[in-house]
Amino acid sequence: MSAKLIDGKKMASAIREDIAEEIKVLKDEFNVVPGLAVVIVGDDPASHTYVSMKEKNCKNVGMYSEVHRLPEETSQEQLLELIHHLNENDKIHGILVQVPLPKGINENIVNSHIKPEKDVDGFHAINTGNLFLGEETIEPCTPKGIIKLIKSTGVEISGKNAVVVGRSNILGKPVAILLLHENATVTICHSKSKNLKEHLLNADIIVAAVGRPELIKGDMIKSGAVVIDAGTTVVEDKLVGDVEFDKAKEVASYITPVPGGVGPMTIAMLLENTLEAAKKKCK
Ligand code: NAP
């Protein structure tokens, strides 16, 4: 078997086109332009690249964008002060604080100061709580994008065995909850899990969210499985996923590439969440 590629780049591009159309309508009917503020603290080069990509994507769909680049020595208090200003700024519908943050700044405290309705990353405790409860919420971008990628295959999620490898608050845990809401039977594996291969061989759907290049080998994948690889690690200047792609594509039915799979969908979902936040404000 040779797996079909799930083209995240193409899907994200179609979503961005729809978003651009909706923004035009919002502007014409309500004179509202959705606005996203991104805050970055410190000099991490990869984070600066991600932030510039977000800025460019916002502009391309006609969204208002502000980027606040703060120095490494910024205190938590100074950062919270900026967030409070952005909370009160009517031009801003979404606020995102890029991680990682420098030592001395607590990510959870920072997220808790963003107004829940402007928390387009979906990391505020109210939004994660509502996600857990199955109530209406702002879903975190990467997990939301992953569910759309799986659904794009046409493979029914309900009743399937899904294995999520990784249990971080931003990725593994929320994607597992979303899969549960889709009625999958979900197993979460992590660094202390025994027999990863045994779990994976039972999976109809695999979501790899680890950050260990090619941890998941071809012989750990059940024939016909849908494989979503969220992992991204730079190895010798190349982005490498958590799945041994060349071998995995011989057994899987559908697979995402790295790059060009989950990554582009994450930004598309950020734009979608910001647009939704602006639409709610209009209502
Ligand atoms: P993280 O916070 O470091 O979490 C990694 C998870 O992997 C942890 O739960 C860890 O288990 C688990 N793990 C580590 N080694 C393992 C092993 N040998 N077997 C099984 N599980 C293992 O990372 P993250 O923030 O969730 O990100 C994961 C990956 O996704 C990274 O490569 C990141 O760059 C990528 N990512 C991509 C996007 C995107 O848009 N494409 C967005 C976010 C993240 P413990 O909990 O036991 O330590």
Side-chain angles (χ1 to χ4, degrees):
M1 177 187 282
S2 190
K4 288 193 183 126
L5 219 58
I6 310 174
D7 190 342
K9 217 170 151 183
K10 197 167 156 193
M11 212 173 142
S13 164
I15 291 170
R16 284 197 305 271
E17 274 177 33
D18 291 345
I19 290 173
E21 282 305 312
E22 284 207 55
I23 290 175
K24 275 188 205 148
V25 174
L26 213 60
K27 206 173 167 184
D28 290 347
E29 286 185 12
F30 298 95
N31 199 25
V32 167
V33 178
L36 175 70
V38 178
V39 183
I40 177 164
V41 189
D43 309 316
D44 180 54
S47 297
H48 276 274
T49 306
Y50 294 140
V51 167
S52 299
M53 277 161 64
K54 286 165 188 171
E55 191 179 19
K56 195 171 135 208
N57 272 267
C58 276
K59 289 190 175 146
N60 285 347
V61 295
M63 213 170 251
Y64 172 70
S65 145
E66 271 181 19
V67 178
H68 297 264
R69 294 179 172 89
L70 307 182
E72 183 83 24
E73 56 276 12
T74 302
S75 68
Q76 182 166 297
E77 240 171 50
Q78 287 168 319
L79 177 57
L80 294 183
E81 199 180 320
L82 171 62
I83 288 171
H84 294 150
H85 280 299
L86 295 170
N87 278 339
E88 300 313 316
N89 183 343
D90 286 341
K91 275 162 79 179
I92 299 299
H93 303 92
I95 302 169
L96 178 150
V97 179
Q98 185 68 39
V99 288
L101 287 164
K103 275 188 193 141
I105 301 185
N106 182 313
E107 205 179 302
N108 289 336
I109 292 179
V110 170
N111 284 330
S112 74
H113 280 257
I114 298 173
K115 270 189 184 171
E117 62 270 30
K118 292 195 178 189
D119 166 42
V120 285
D121 241 350
F123 295 153
H124 190 292
I126 288 190
N127 287 324
T128 50
N130 280 332
L131 180 81
F132 187 86
L133 295 172
E135 295 292 339
E136 198 187 327
T137 187
I138 301 178
E139 293 177 358
C141 304
T142 308
K144 185 180 180 184
I146 287 173
I147 298 298
K148 289 201 190 231
L149 287 166
I150 300 171
K151 286 187 172 172
S152 76
T153 65
V155 171
E156 179 83 46
I157 300 177
S158 180
K160 295 286 163 54
N161 291 332
V163 172
V164 178
V165 192
R167 58 172 165 179
S168 72
N169 290 333
I170 63 158
L171 188 46
K173 274 186 216 166
V175 90
I177 290 175
L178 289 176
L179 284 163
L180 199 58
H181 291 338
E182 296 292 336
N183 297 316
T185 303
V186 184
T187 302
I188 306 176
C189 294
H190 46 78
S191 68
K192 308 289 184 292
S193 298
K194 307 263 188 260
N195 306 327
L196 177 64
K197 183 174 178 178
E198 207 174 286
H199 288 295
L200 288 171
L201 281 172
N202 194 32
D204 306 301
I205 298 167
I206 293 173
V207 178
V210 182
R212 300 274 180 280
E214 301 193 338
L215 171 80
I216 299 172
K217 308 290 177 203
D219 68 358
M220 297 164 101
I221 295 168
K222 176 176 161 181
S223 174
V226 175
V227 179
I228 307 291
D229 190 355
T232 51
T233 311
V234 178
V235 181
E236 292 169 2
D237 287 339
K238 272 182 70 182
L239 213 54
V240 180
D242 289 341
V243 178
E244 188 189 28
F245 183 84
D246 286 343
K247 298 273 166 53
K249 78 175 178 3
E250 297 307 320
V251 272
S253 57
Y254 292 90
I255 189 166
T256 55
V258 177
V262 173
M265 284 298 283
T266 297
I267 298 189
M269 293 303 98
L270 175 66
L271 300 176
E272 192 173 279
N273 283 351
T274 307
L275 171 66
E276 290 305 319
K279 278 163 62 179
K280 271 203 186 120
K281 192 88 196 292
C282 292
K283 278 179 198 160

